[in-house]
Amino acid sequence: MIAYVPAALFFVLFGIGVLRDRRQFSNAVLLGIAVSLLTLPVLAELAKAPNLVVEMVAVAIILLPALGTVALVWFLLANGMTMIRKEGRRPANLLSLLAGLGILGVIGLLIAAVIVHSRQLAALAGTAVLVVGYISFLFTCFVGYAFLYGRHRPRGNVDFVVVLGSGLIGGERVPPLLASRLNRGREVYEEQAARGNPPVLITSGGQGPDEKLPESHAMADYLVERGFPAEHIEREDRSRTTEENLLFSKAIMEQAKPDYRCVVVTNNFHAFRAALLARQTGVNGHVFGSPTARYYWPSATIREFAAIFLSHKLINFGICGFIALCGAIAAL
């Protein structure tokens, strides 16, 4: 039982973190560490099982990572080509393709190190594997916790529903991605209205340099044209970033009701990062995600993770730098 104590400790820390505020990336890391520590005693228990079970587990431990890596690379490359075909060659649309090529590069480096028998190349390959392993661990934590966070639906009464804006088609029309947010915002509004507490829906988004009108105005028009009550819409039309969306919407809500509660609506791939920003900006509310096209989700998720990774660049680059330093010493 002692072997389970470290995992139990991190599960307790995870639970405390969630109770304090579920909008923290540290919750994701604590959960990831807890699950990782739990696998060690579980494997130790399996080692005591009959020989056939032990052999099956050993084969699974060897084959699953290899087959999983091959499947992941194929998926990322295929998704990358789909993104290019449907969304164009903008850098943000190349992330899944680049991730697949990066994994292939690390695999190629490992194979070369084995063939050449070079100490320096082996150290470089080992360093690359450790850095990729660290980033992969954080990415797995992010995806797992973001999934759990997205399962939490708004509870209780809220005073405002804030729908975050995105780019417009032709500078004036709501695209499917934004329509998904608006439809989800309307769903939350109608759930609240059915309880006898219709909130104010805030459409949040300013006017970009290539747009003919503020996003918030196009969003409000989209809702009104589909029968949404115009008197329950408030436009926030100054923001240019997600952080400004939240800050300017917060000002509107605090002015109307200082002790407000709200729900912020965005797409599911963006919900957890928006929740982290909501916590940083002091917005009192839960972030709720709307559906996204399946082909768009992987690249968008990688982009969201990259933004969170860079927002903690001091510690992340510090750890990656330490790994690189150890690799350089090993190569001497």
Side-chain angles (χ1 to χ4, degrees):
M1 291 299 293
I2 295 177
Y4 289 94
V5 171
L9 174 62
F10 277 94
F11 274 118
V12 170
L13 292 174
F14 165 71
I16 293 172
V18 170
L19 289 175
R20 289 178 59 188
D21 194 332
R22 57 173 49 90
R23 305 171 301 173
Q24 300 181 93
F25 189 68
S26 58
N27 294 338
V29 176
L30 289 171
L31 179 61
I33 294 174
V35 172
S36 300
L37 290 174
L38 183 62
T39 60
L40 299 178
V42 169
L43 289 175
E45 291 294 328
L46 287 174
K48 303 174 184 177
N51 289 339
L52 179 59
V53 175
V54 174
E55 291 172 1
M56 291 175 63
V57 171
V59 170
I61 291 174
I62 294 171
L63 288 182
L64 286 180
L67 294 176
T69 300
V70 171
L72 177 62
V73 169
W74 177 86
F75 172 77
L76 289 172
L77 294 177
N79 179 256
M81 298 307 296
T82 301
M83 283 293 293
I84 290 173
R85 187 174 70 253
K86 293 191 174 185
E87 301 290 335
R89 301 194 179 193
R90 292 188 299 113
N93 297 332
L94 303 177
L95 292 178
S96 54
L97 178 63
L98 292 175
L101 292 174
I103 295 173
L104 279 179
V106 173
I107 293 172
L109 190 60
L110 284 170
I111 294 172
V114 172
I115 294 175
V116 175
H117 297 292
S118 166
R119 180 179 176 181
Q120 288 75 19
L121 195 58
L124 178 61
T127 300
V129 169
L130 289 175
V131 170
V132 170
Y134 170 70
I135 295 174
S136 298
F137 170 74
L138 291 182
F139 182 73
T140 302
C141 293
F142 166 71
V143 172
Y145 187 72
F147 175 80
L148 292 176
Y149 182 88
R151 300 306 95 190
H152 176 76
R153 294 184 66 89
R155 295 178 181 176
N157 293 333
V158 298
D159 306 294
F160 298 91
V161 178
V162 181
V163 182
L164 304 185
S166 67
L168 303 175
I169 297 177
E172 59 183 341
R173 289 186 293 115
V174 169
L177 193 75
L178 184 51
S180 173
R181 300 182 185 186
L182 291 165
N183 293 335
R184 178 69 86 193
R186 179 171 187 162
E187 176 186 316
V188 175
Y189 169 86
E190 290 175 348
E191 288 176 356
Q192 293 287 318
R195 300 175 187 171
N197 181 50
V200 173
L201 190 147
I202 300 177
T203 54
S204 178
Q207 184 172 350
D210 59 344
E211 294 175 334
K212 300 176 182 178
L213 73 166
E215 293 165 6
S216 60
H217 292 206
M219 295 161 68
D221 292 344
Y222 174 92
L223 289 169
V224 172
E225 288 169 2
R226 287 157 180 77
F228 192 92
E231 64 273 15
H232 282 273
I233 296 177
E234 180 84 27
R235 295 170 172 84
E236 181 287 297
D237 57 8
R238 296 185 294 151
S239 56
R240 298 293 184 88
T241 65
T242 300
E243 186 173 4
E244 289 184 353
N245 285 142
L246 295 167
L247 282 171
F248 296 154
S249 296
K250 175 188 173 186
I252 292 173
M253 293 185 288
E254 285 183 336
Q255 184 176 10
K257 186 176 182 182
D259 60 342
Y260 73 90
R261 292 185 69 248
C262 74
V263 170
V264 179
V265 178
T266 185
N267 288 92
N268 49 16
F269 66 82
H270 185 235
F272 186 41
R273 185 163 75 91
L276 299 180
L277 289 172
R279 179 174 181 269
Q280 292 173 16
T281 54
V283 172
N284 182 26
H286 174 71
V287 180
F288 197 38
S290 65
T292 306
R294 290 183 181 180
Y295 77 87
Y296 195 87
W297 185 87
S299 187
T301 300
I302 294 172
R303 184 174 70 244
E304 294 298 305
F305 169 73
I308 292 175
F309 185 89
L310 292 174
S311 70
H312 299 84
K313 51 181 171 289
L314 184 61
I315 184 171
N316 287 324
F317 286 154
I319 291 174
C320 291
F322 177 74
I323 294 172
L325 177 62
C326 293
I329 294 173
L332 296 177

